[in-house]
Amino acid sequence: MYQRLSNIELLRIIAMFMIIAVHADYWAIGIPTKEDLVMSPIATFARVFIEQLTVVGVNIFVLISGWFGIKPTAKSFTSICFQTVFYLLGVYTIGVAFGLTNFSIKQLATCFLFTHKYWFIKAYIALVILAPVLNIFVENVKKTIFRNVLIFLFTFQFIYGWLNQEVWIAQGYSGFSFIALYLLARYLRIYGIKWLFSISRSLYIVSCIVATLIALIGIYGSIQTVPNLMVSYVSPFVIAGAIGLLINFEKLNLSYSPLINKIAKSTFAVYLFPCFYISDYIYHNLFIEIYNEYDGIMVIVLFTIILITLYLISVLIDQFRLSVWNWFWKYFEKLINNRYISNAIL
């Protein structure tokens, strides 16, 4: 039986923590202003730097998928859909039942991904659907053609997705960007790039530092576009940082760890569980209240404790979800097999 590599699974765990940390910074509190920078330069620098350190999380998730290649099956595809509905519909239903939120058709539609929310899930599902086609391309095209496609693809994305910010590329919040990252990771895994691998040790931290300094210049000049560009998922700094971190963890000599692999199976729950009123309370009330009442390192400490607690709760709840899923799939397989047997007899 195939065992997932614990070094990459550890990176998957860290990447999800990065994602919820991003939600706790710019998304919850907002991008720092020139006034923030002038009045509290150290705190503002820390916020911008932490944002740049953690914004690579989403790209890392997609790169990991591309590194190993997605081989979709009916079970894996159904599992993603089941997990999504389990959390979104489950949390929403509990909230309505206990008066924590009001019932609305729009919120119910969100549970089944029929609104603009939860773009990541829809973009990733699109990637899973296209994965067989992408894999055929990867396995049959010549290295030079593969390389040239990547060069033109990322050049196109750089011009129209980052500099020009086309709506349909959506700064990387799209299936288009996921496809580009997937193909890039496949190329790196199969062929590698010597100079890139040689500088990978410092690529992540250097990319974060440079992006932080550029973002601070933009903030000081009251040019909001600049810090926005630095945290775009199609930013060359964000992509480079994600690649550097992936390569470093791939090189990490870590023995197989059942605990790491078990936690990694539930990382997606960390993204899904804090939805609706849970997300509103934690990110748009609790974090803002802490940020306004405390200063300096205490803010970082309290934020970290809350995020770790949220992470652990999500992973623990997901053990129940896994049990329900295993029961569901076992029953479903049995139902399908019996149907096939009955048809064969008839």
Side-chain angles (χ1 to χ4, degrees):
M1 183 179 179
Y2 170 73
Q3 289 182 337
R4 294 191 175 191
L5 302 175
S6 293
N7 54 338
I8 300 299
E9 294 306 290
L10 177 60
L11 177 60
R12 196 189 302 273
I13 293 170
I14 293 171
M16 182 51 70
F17 187 82
M18 288 176 167
I19 291 171
I20 60 176
V22 163
H23 290 165
D25 194 0
Y26 283 14
W27 188 67
I29 304 170
I31 297 176
T33 63
K34 180 177 181 179
E35 183 181 7
D36 294 326
L37 183 57
V38 173
M39 297 295 293
S40 307
I42 296 177
T44 302
F45 173 84
R47 280 195 60 204
V48 175
F49 187 55
I50 290 171
E51 183 77 10
Q52 294 299 156
L53 284 174
T54 55
V55 74
V56 299
V58 167
N59 284 359
I60 287 172
F61 252 87
V62 182
L63 287 170
I64 289 174
S65 295
W67 190 260
F68 294 108
I70 298 174
K71 298 175 179 61
T73 62
K75 183 177 181 180
S76 64
F77 184 80
T78 307
S79 178
I80 296 173
C81 298
F82 178 87
Q83 188 176 17
T84 300
V85 174
F86 178 89
Y87 281 103
L88 298 187
L89 184 60
V91 170
Y92 181 60
T93 301
I94 292 172
V96 172
F98 287 90
L100 300 173
T101 188
N102 297 321
F103 175 80
S104 72
I105 296 299
K106 184 177 181 180
Q107 294 284 55
L108 184 61
T110 299
C111 296
F112 298 94
L113 304 180
F114 288 122
T115 63
H116 69 280
K117 289 188 175 181
Y118 301 105
W119 69 272
F120 177 86
I121 305 169
K122 288 173 276 191
Y124 192 78
I125 288 175
L127 178 63
V128 172
I129 293 170
L130 283 171
V133 177
L134 299 175
N135 292 340
I136 291 172
F137 167 79
V138 170
E139 293 162 6
N140 292 277
V141 75
K142 292 181 179 179
K143 178 183 176 181
T144 52
I145 296 177
F146 195 172
R147 181 196 62 207
N148 291 340
V149 166
L150 285 176
I151 291 172
F152 284 110
L153 182 60
F154 277 92
T155 301
F156 179 89
Q157 182 177 256
F158 174 78
I159 296 171
Y160 295 104
W162 195 56
L163 297 180
N164 199 41
Q165 300 183 57
E166 284 286 352
V167 174
W168 58 274
I169 297 179
Q171 297 187 51
Y173 294 74
S174 64
F176 175 86
S177 297
F178 279 20
I179 291 170
L181 288 170
Y182 181 86
L183 291 175
L184 175 60
R186 295 301 302 136
Y187 183 90
L188 292 175
R189 179 72 187 276
I190 296 170
Y191 301 110
I193 301 176
K194 288 184 178 180
W195 64 265
L196 182 60
F197 278 67
S198 65
I199 66 170
S200 62
R201 186 174 297 277
S202 58
L203 187 59
Y204 169 59
I205 193 67
V206 170
S207 297
C208 292
I209 291 172
V210 173
T212 297
L213 294 176
I214 295 174
L216 288 171
I217 292 171
I219 291 170
Y220 188 75
S222 298
I223 309 172
Q224 190 174 4
T225 304
V226 175
N228 276 330
L229 285 174
M230 293 303 104
V231 295
S232 167
Y233 292 137
V234 296
S235 162
F237 300 104
V238 175
I239 294 172
I243 291 171
L245 208 54
L246 173 62
I247 295 173
N248 277 315
F249 270 82
E250 196 277 332
K251 294 177 180 178
L252 186 65
N253 186 17
L254 182 65
S255 58
Y256 172 74
S257 170
L259 178 61
I260 289 176
N261 286 27
K262 187 177 183 64
I263 294 173
K265 283 184 179 180
S266 296
T267 50
F268 199 38
V270 182
Y271 171 76
L272 290 169
F273 173 64
C275 56
F276 297 116
Y277 51 92
I278 298 177
S279 173
D280 290 340
Y281 172 73
I282 293 176
Y283 293 109
H284 297 139
N285 289 289
L286 183 58
F287 281 141
I288 292 175
E289 184 178 336
I290 291 172
Y291 183 74
N292 290 332
E293 289 190 10
Y294 296 91
D295 295 315
I297 193 68
M298 184 55 67
V299 173
I300 297 176
V301 170
L302 291 174
F303 273 35
T304 302
I305 291 173
I306 294 170
L307 291 175
I308 291 175
T309 302
L310 177 63
Y311 205 116
L312 293 176
I313 290 173
S314 301
V315 169
L316 288 173
I317 291 174
D318 200 54
Q319 304 316 299
F320 171 71
R321 193 274 312 172
L322 284 167
S323 298
V324 175
W325 161 249
N326 290 331
W327 173 86
F328 168 81
W329 185 253
K330 185 177 179 180
Y331 178 79
F332 183 73
E333 272 192 318
K334 184 178 180 181
L335 185 67
I336 293 296
N337 289 336
N338 287 340
R339 181 181 177 184
Y340 284 155
I341 292 171
S342 299
N343 290 339
I345 293 172
L346 292 173

